[in-house]
Amino acid sequence: MSAIQIIPLNWYVTLSAILFALGVLGVLYRRNAIIILMCIELMLNAVTLLLVAFSAHHSDPTAQVFVFFIMAVAAAEVAVGLAILMMIYRNTKSIDIDILNKLKG
Amino acid sequence: MTHITITQIMFCVLSLIAITSAALLIFSKSPIHSVLYLIVTFFAIAGHYILLNAQFLAVVHVIVYAGAIMVLFLFVIMMLNLNKETETHKPMWIQLMAVLAGGAMLVTLVGVLKGAEQMNLKQANDVNIGLVNNLGLVLFNDFLVPFELSSILFLAAMVGSVMLGKKTIS
């Protein structure tokens, strides 16, 4: 007996909403750029969990292929994002995002 | 449903672990602890994938996130020597506004998606869609071109991060 027959879909919807809101909260709450990247990963994971839940409930494997591509893009995003962070740290000796307000005008 | 099945208990335990460690990720002082809590969250989400019969995605999730992305995060944190809790925090009113905005967004999301279970769901009769056999057929029949394009994306990401990481560009 798998979870598809037992657990209703709105439980997964609620769980994903909570995880996504926690990710948004982290992005707004912290100043450390690495933690903000982690919270972006958390939001991506909330969305992929919802995609997999819908895929299982609809018996449609396409959404799981989408999740596979989302993971590939997330890995590339983290690699480039951390390289940018390293460059910021080299120039400003800090990864506080509130220092990076030169573009504000 | 009067009696509680073991699957529901597992769902609740995994959800509790995921939400608790996500909250600890945000509110912990040291970045190293945040990374460790993020690993716990990822393992809980991999457990959810297994509950949903998506075994291939669970394995790929553990390999990619716990194996590759977490190592990158830990490597950068240790290289920058950030484990000395000198981080300044935002002012109190901004933190309060952040919590309010996050809570309002959660309420909005739950309210909007509340009727999701009333959608006309096809009866889930095929439980094997998440296995490697089935997903491989879909991936290499219908999504062959995006699959090859993602390898170009990886090449571009690799070249870009090497170029960003270099000290001087001659």
Side-chain angles (χ1 to χ4, degrees):
Chain A
M1 199 74 145
S2 73
I4 303 166
Q5 289 100 24
I6 298 170
I7 295 175
L9 189 54
N10 57 342
W11 290 21
Y12 281 105
V13 171
T14 311
L15 172 64
S16 300
I18 291 172
L19 283 179
F20 192 88
L22 276 173
V24 171
L25 172 63
V27 169
L28 296 175
Y29 190 84
R30 296 297 294 258
R31 287 172 71 173
N32 192 335
I34 289 185
I35 308 242
I36 288 177
L37 264 183
M38 285 184 214
C39 290
I40 290 173
E41 291 298 310
L42 192 64
M43 286 193 270
L44 279 173
N45 268 282
V47 174
T48 54
L49 177 63
L50 195 56
L51 267 176
V52 173
F54 273 115
S55 148
H57 278 263
H58 281 268
S59 294
D60 187 1
T62 312
Q64 303 202 5
V65 178
F66 281 170
V67 171
F68 185 69
F69 287 127
I70 289 174
M71 282 180 190
V73 173
E77 170 244 326
V78 164
V80 176
L82 286 175
I84 292 174
L85 271 188
M86 289 294 298
M87 206 174 64
I88 290 172
Y89 184 78
R90 200 178 293 142
N91 287 327
T92 66
K93 294 295 170 212
S94 159
I95 52 165
D96 189 347
I97 50 157
D98 283 6
I99 292 179
L100 306 172
N101 55 4
K102 301 269 189 337
L103 279 179
K104 203 162 71 177
Chain B
M1 194 174 295
T2 52
H3 67 287
I4 297 172
T5 58
I6 187 125
T7 314
Q8 285 178 326
I9 295 172
M10 281 163 71
F11 176 87
C12 293
V13 170
L14 283 174
S15 308
L16 208 65
I17 292 172
I19 292 170
T20 313
S21 52
L24 285 172
L25 185 170
I26 298 172
F27 297 114
S28 72
K29 291 272 187 296
S30 124
I32 293 275
H33 290 169
S34 291
V35 176
L36 297 179
Y37 287 129
L38 189 59
I39 296 176
V40 174
T41 312
F42 284 160
F43 272 105
I45 289 175
H48 275 299
Y49 289 168
I50 292 175
L51 272 189
L52 283 166
N53 258 331
Q55 278 93 348
F56 172 70
L57 277 185
V59 172
V60 170
H61 192 267
V62 168
I63 290 173
V64 170
Y65 281 101
I69 291 183
M70 286 309 104
V71 170
L72 269 181
F73 272 118
L74 278 176
F75 184 70
V76 169
I77 286 175
M78 290 182 179
M79 197 152 73
L80 300 188
N81 199 12
L82 289 177
N83 200 14
K84 41 174 190 193
E85 306 154 8
T86 54
E87 183 192 348
T88 51
H89 285 275
K90 290 191 173 179
M92 200 55 171
W93 65 275
I94 289 188
Q95 289 186 345
L96 198 65
M97 289 322 251
V99 173
L100 278 181
M105 191 180 153
L106 174 63
V107 170
T108 311
L109 275 179
V110 171
V112 165
L113 298 171
K114 185 164 51 80
E117 80 276 13
Q118 286 152 4
M119 283 187 312
N120 194 11
L121 285 184
K122 194 166 58 180
Q123 189 55 43
N125 43 13
D126 189 5
V127 293
N128 293 326
I129 58 161
L131 302 186
V132 180
N133 190 1
N134 206 333
L135 271 187
L137 281 176
V138 176
L139 185 60
F140 290 108
N141 280 326
D142 301 339
F143 293 93
L144 187 60
V145 177
F147 183 72
E148 299 292 339
L149 282 179
S150 70
S151 68
I152 298 178
L153 172 76
F154 274 124
L155 184 66
M158 187 181 75
V159 172
S161 46
V162 167
M163 216 192 83
L164 284 171
K166 276 181 67 160
K167 268 207 165 57
T168 54
I169 296 164
S170 54

